[in-house]
Amino acid sequence: MCGIAGYFGFNDISLIKNMLKVLKHRGPNDEGIFIGKNVALGNRRLSIIDIKSGKQPIHNENKKIWITYNGEIYNFQELRNSLLKLGHKFYTKTDTECIVHAYEEWGTKCLKKLNGMFAFAIWDSDKKILFLARDRFGIKPLYYCTLNKKFIFASEIKAILQDKTIPRVPNDKIIYQYLIDGVHDHSEETFFLGIKRLLPAHFMIVSKKKIKIKKYWDVKVNQ
């Protein structure tokens, strides 16, 4: 288990540090931060694969693509071999770096190549976009909030709430549904108004002008 966090559209180094501080329990072994122009990616790491050199956030060859990631890609060895044959150069032995190069090679279609559980955010400095995705069954969490042209994301809501400008307003409808039915994760809404979850099998593209959310996978039912 790791913890991811970040923002887009503004600069606040103290915020990303505070976000990672409250996510320390998710990744007690290491902490890493990437800071760009109006963007930040942070990671609290539970070190499992490539303990020594797998520090996150991880980048591609020219450091134009960066990722913060929580999860496990089961087929990363096969994926790594395929990417090596295509000319990609690796500096770690992690499954994390496979996602970076897979995105570099196939764009958002890289999700079709990933077999595993994951939540990640990729910063593409050439396109000036954040690419965020969640695994097919939503095993790994990913929450986000948009407010006053700011975009903030994290593995847990309490990390997002480190931004004191975000209102702490209860979402009565979802709280009521939970108390009546015991279900609260069936939609993108959370217990806090304005804070949403990225649904399973969905990805989102965040740019300066807009946010695009798309479903990339669904269960096929034979009738």
Side-chain angles (χ1 to χ4, degrees):
M1 182 174 68
C2 296
I4 68 173
Y7 59 73
F8 177 63
F10 64 105
N11 278 322
D12 189 342
I13 297 177
S14 62
L15 173 61
I16 191 66
K17 289 181 178 179
N18 289 335
M19 293 175 77
L20 293 182
K21 189 178 296 184
V22 299
L23 293 176
K24 185 176 181 179
H25 62 285
R26 297 185 67 92
N29 300 131
D30 197 10
E31 177 181 293
I33 298 174
F34 163 75
I35 301 291
K37 185 178 181 181
N38 294 324
V39 65
L41 302 179
N43 186 274
R44 287 294 325 190
R45 185 181 181 221
L46 177 63
S47 303
I48 298 176
I49 301 174
D50 197 359
I51 295 174
K52 292 184 179 180
S53 62
K55 184 180 180 69
Q56 292 194 49
I58 280 175
H59 55 78
N60 68 335
E61 297 95 329
N62 57 18
K63 296 186 178 181
K64 290 188 175 182
I65 299 173
W66 291 78
I67 186 173
T68 181
Y69 154 77
N70 171 31
E72 183 178 358
I73 305 302
Y74 307 135
N75 64 328
F76 86 95
Q77 293 285 11
E78 295 89 342
L79 187 58
R80 177 189 172 94
N81 291 336
S82 297
L83 290 163
L84 285 168
K85 290 178 182 178
L86 289 168
H88 293 270
K89 299 183 184 303
F90 287 72
Y91 72 98
T92 75
K93 296 179 181 178
T94 62
D95 55 345
T96 311
E97 192 179 1
C98 283
I99 303 175
V100 174
H101 294 292
Y103 169 76
E104 189 178 19
E105 184 68 30
W106 299 297
T108 59
K109 292 182 180 179
C110 69
L111 293 168
K112 297 180 179 180
K113 306 282 186 179
L114 305 180
N115 176 13
M117 54 181 180
F118 54 83
F120 64 75
I122 289 177
W123 169 244
D124 187 326
S125 62
D126 282 339
K127 295 181 179 179
K128 300 293 188 296
I129 61 169
L130 268 180
F131 167 45
L132 302 97
R134 197 169 173 211
D135 63 77
R136 292 167 178 81
F137 294 101
I139 298 172
K140 295 300 181 179
L142 186 56
Y143 300 92
Y144 68 94
C145 178
T146 57
L147 180 68
N148 299 326
K149 297 183 179 181
K150 297 193 300 186
F151 177 84
I152 305 172
F153 70 89
S155 296
E156 298 183 17
I157 290 176
K158 64 183 178 182
I160 294 175
L161 291 175
Q162 294 307 301
D163 185 330
K164 305 305 180 184
T165 67
I166 296 176
R168 278 94 168 137
V169 180
N171 189 339
D172 293 336
K173 178 182 176 181
I174 297 299
I175 294 173
Y176 176 79
Q177 288 180 354
Y178 174 69
L179 293 174
I180 296 299
D181 302 321
V183 177
H184 71 284
D185 58 356
H186 58 291
S187 75
E188 64 178 5
E189 298 294 326
T190 71
F191 288 163
F192 293 85
L193 277 176
I195 299 179
K196 298 182 179 181
R197 63 169 55 83
L198 183 63
L199 290 176
H202 282 67
F203 73 84
M204 63 194 309
I205 300 293
V206 182
S207 67
K208 185 177 181 181
K209 294 182 178 180
K210 63 180 180 179
I211 295 176
K212 173 186 174 183
I213 300 177
K214 186 175 180 179
K215 192 172 188 177
Y216 67 86
W217 179 84
D218 203 352
V219 175
K220 292 183 179 180
V221 180
N222 296 323
Q223 296 182 351

